[in-house]
Amino acid sequence: MSDKSKIQPFSAPKGVPDYVPPQSNEFAAVRNTFLHQAQLSGFEHIELPIFEETGLFARGVGESTDVVSKEMYTFEDRGGRSVTLRPEGTAGVMRAVIEHNLDRGQLPVKLAYAGPFFRYERPQAGRYRQLQQVGVEAIGVDDPALDAEIIALADRCFRSIGLTGFRLELTSLGDNTCRPQYREALQKFLFDLPLDEETRRRAEINPLRVLDDKRPEVQEMTADAPLMLDYLSDSAAEHFEAVKGYLDAMQIPYVVNPRMVRGLDYYTKTCFEFVHDGLGAQSGIGGGGRYDGLMEQLGGQPLSGIGFGLGVDRALLAAEVEKAQVGDGRRVDVYGVPLGDAARDQMVTIINDLRRAGIRADMAYGGRGLKGAMKGADRAGARFALVLGESELAAGEVQVKDLAAHEQHTVGLTGLVDALLQELKA
Ligand code: HAM
């Protein structure tokens, strides 16, 4: 005889969150609210592969980034190709835009996506190896009004799930006319510092990354480093001023953070991050920016773009910290409580009719008694329980119990759908 108690159950992989009810309902509500907001701004949905050719990320995201150099899930498939689980969404969107010639039509191309991304990071609260984002990309127009629209959209996404305890940080990373001078000035500054070998190498490849070093001694040494904002070309400075002007006009608060370094290499000009104060070390709930050279670097036209990725996991954590209720917390609005076999048979049809009318409905199965079935109604968060016993069945009626008001009344079965539609609207 096999001893089942010896079989060890499996766990989810390290650093990968499961979302199970009731939290999973809130997770879905966060993601759907973000996607809905993107739709309101005219973004169309794009659904892309979870894995891509490894070279796409190496070239698109940048070899000097932690994401590419340390965190990718890269493996050889059975055909000997190197593939990588996508660590972020922008490179894949660019690849698809180029491949399907989406940039040959009306510009900007506005695309929204949602799904899992994979980074082999050290897991901790709010930092996962499978993370979920909702992202948007607007490609093909270099207009500060579009930058402001994208930032305003991210701001609205967070506010529409009830968040208020976050701030928007903003900077400009300049363009290809002023970046080289700044890079040179920053390198000159960094090479004079007593940096360790690895950091010095980083300063050679991408000096901006050194400003992002979290070690206190490096932060101290780089406190007086030259800032990109002091080196902006006239046109980059004008662009940045215009973006800030639009944000002011839309009354979207921001702080300029001239030392912001994004974790991906493709950014130019406007860059932003949304930071939540209630989340500890992993406080970035979303970020993005403009990427002028990315499309060309991936073999496409020299078109610029701008976008963001919002962290759904972290936005959900932030909502929990702020005690913001995401979604209505109900599994259904109406719950059927049939008492006896004949009532059960009738209830199956009633509940189906309600669902056809667009009402969220469920019922007690398995011949449960009144008490057990009413508990089911409560657990489902239903507003109304429909109690159908023998006498109601005989009279062609049902008892509608309002579970919050603790009231009940009788409604004829023929007018039930309309009556409930009315009551649910109230
Ligand atoms: P990112 O800043 O790397 O940007 O990620 C965006 C958001 O994803 C972060 O602000 C954070 O909320 C969430 N996130 C990142 N890593 C983790 C993690 N390990 N665990 C939990 N959440 C995480 C991008 O990915 C860019 N593709 C955004 C973009 C689109 N820029 C232009 N277009």
Side-chain angles (χ1 to χ4, degrees):
M1 229 174 75
S2 74
D3 182 356
K4 288 221 171 102
S5 67
K6 288 212 176 111
I7 299 177
Q8 281 294 319
F10 291 102
S11 313
K14 191 169 151 56
V16 175
D18 284 323
Y19 289 99
V20 298
Q23 200 200 21
S24 49
N25 299 320
E26 298 189 356
F27 175 89
V30 170
R31 183 190 54 203
N32 296 344
T33 305
F34 289 179
L35 283 172
H36 175 66
Q37 288 296 332
Q39 269 175 2
L40 289 181
S41 296
F43 285 83
E44 293 185 281
H45 193 76
I46 186 165
E47 197 64 42
L48 292 176
I50 300 283
F51 61 90
E52 299 265 7
E53 205 177 303
T54 301
L56 172 69
F57 302 114
R59 189 145 19 116
V61 175
E63 307 264 14
S64 82
T65 61
D66 280 357
V67 169
V68 170
S69 63
K70 299 185 190 154
E71 296 170 0
M72 294 211 300
Y73 280 87
T74 298
F75 56 96
E76 224 174 66
D77 73 6
R78 287 169 192 272
R81 301 170 200 90
S82 178
V83 293
T84 294
L85 300 184
R86 60 183 189 187
E88 63 95 55
T90 313
V93 170
M94 282 298 151
R95 195 264 309 141
V97 166
I98 298 167
E99 186 170 341
H100 301 284
N101 293 318
L102 299 184
D103 54 330
R104 306 284 166 176
Q106 178 76 23
L107 297 177
V109 184
K110 295 173 86 172
L111 300 166
Y113 51 90
F117 297 90
F118 304 86
R119 298 181 188 179
Y120 194 82
E121 296 196 74
R122 203 165 41 76
Q124 64 179 78
R127 185 162 70 193
Y128 306 128
R129 289 179 172 169
Q130 177 174 312
L131 58 121
Q132 303 264 352
Q133 286 183 9
V134 168
V136 305
E137 313 294 345
I139 300 144
V141 176
D142 185 5
D143 181 341
L146 187 59
D147 302 32
E149 173 189 315
I150 297 285
I151 295 171
L153 169 57
D155 181 78
R156 216 164 42 247
C157 282
F158 291 130
R159 289 189 198 281
S160 60
I161 60 162
L163 296 185
T164 56
F166 62 87
R167 71 177 176 279
L168 161 61
E169 297 189 354
L170 194 65
T171 195
S172 171
L173 291 181
D175 56 25
N176 59 8
T177 66
C178 52
R179 268 278 265 281
Q181 287 90 305
Y182 171 64
R183 189 187 151 92
E184 205 175 297
L186 182 58
Q187 276 178 331
K188 193 159 172 286
F189 174 89
L190 293 173
F191 290 155
D192 282 344
L193 298 177
L195 298 172
D196 59 83
E197 207 37 48
E198 198 190 327
T199 313
R200 181 168 286 273
R201 225 180 1 259
R202 201 171 303 140
E204 270 162 32
I205 305 172
N206 184 352
L208 258 183
R209 248 215 206 281
V210 181
L211 298 187
D212 197 29
D213 200 310
K214 300 285 182 285
R215 288 171 299 177
E217 64 275 18
V218 180
Q219 293 212 334
E220 205 173 301
M221 279 193 279
T222 59
D224 296 327
L227 296 173
M228 182 70 238
L229 284 186
D230 296 326
Y231 285 76
L232 291 185
S233 65
D234 287 350
S235 82
E238 216 172 276
H239 188 102
F240 191 46
E241 286 309 309
V243 173
K244 288 190 290 180
Y246 288 120
L247 294 177
D248 291 337
M250 289 188 280
Q251 296 181 317
I252 294 168
Y254 58 84
V255 288
V256 173
N257 174 5
R259 284 183 67 101
M260 182 195 303
V261 180
R262 302 273 301 128
L264 314 161
D265 272 355
Y266 46 63
Y267 291 111
T268 53
K269 295 206 194 94
T270 315
C271 271
F272 54 92
E273 256 166 14
F274 287 83
V275 182
H276 197 281
D277 290 325
L279 291 186
Q282 304 308 313
S283 58
I285 53 174
R290 187 164 273 289
Y291 39 85
D292 281 349
L294 179 59
M295 191 163 196
E296 201 174 11
Q297 210 167 326
L298 294 175
Q301 304 188 71
L303 291 178
S304 68
I306 177 159
F308 63 57
L310 308 185
V312 178
D313 314 90
R314 289 188 192 165
L316 181 58
L317 288 173
E320 285 165 6
V321 168
E322 287 199 38
K323 300 199 171 28
Q325 161 94 48
V326 190
D328 65 2
R330 299 180 193 284
R331 192 161 68 78
V332 293
D333 290 310
V334 178
Y335 195 85
V337 177
L339 304 172
D341 287 347
R344 191 250 340 263
D345 294 351
Q346 177 78 53
M347 190 59 85
V348 166
T349 312
I350 295 172
I351 293 297
N352 195 49
D353 286 345
L354 295 178
R355 290 171 178 159
R356 279 184 176 148
I359 295 173
R360 291 182 296 176
D362 200 359
M363 64 180 272
Y365 290 104
R368 292 170 81 184
L370 181 64
K371 214 168 145 208
M374 289 304 289
K375 212 181 257 174
D378 254 353
R379 291 211 174 122
R383 284 179 62 191
F384 298 105
L386 305 181
V387 180
L388 189 64
E390 269 175 34
S391 56
E392 286 88 6
L393 202 56
E397 294 170 347
V398 64
Q399 271 182 53
V400 177
K401 279 181 185 285
D402 183 325
L403 296 175
H406 301 291
E407 288 166 2
Q408 64 183 64
H409 54 283
T410 307
V411 177
L413 285 180
T414 45
L416 181 65
V417 171
D418 286 339
L420 283 170
L421 280 171
Q422 282 306 319
E423 301 212 35
L424 286 168
K425 247 192 248 162

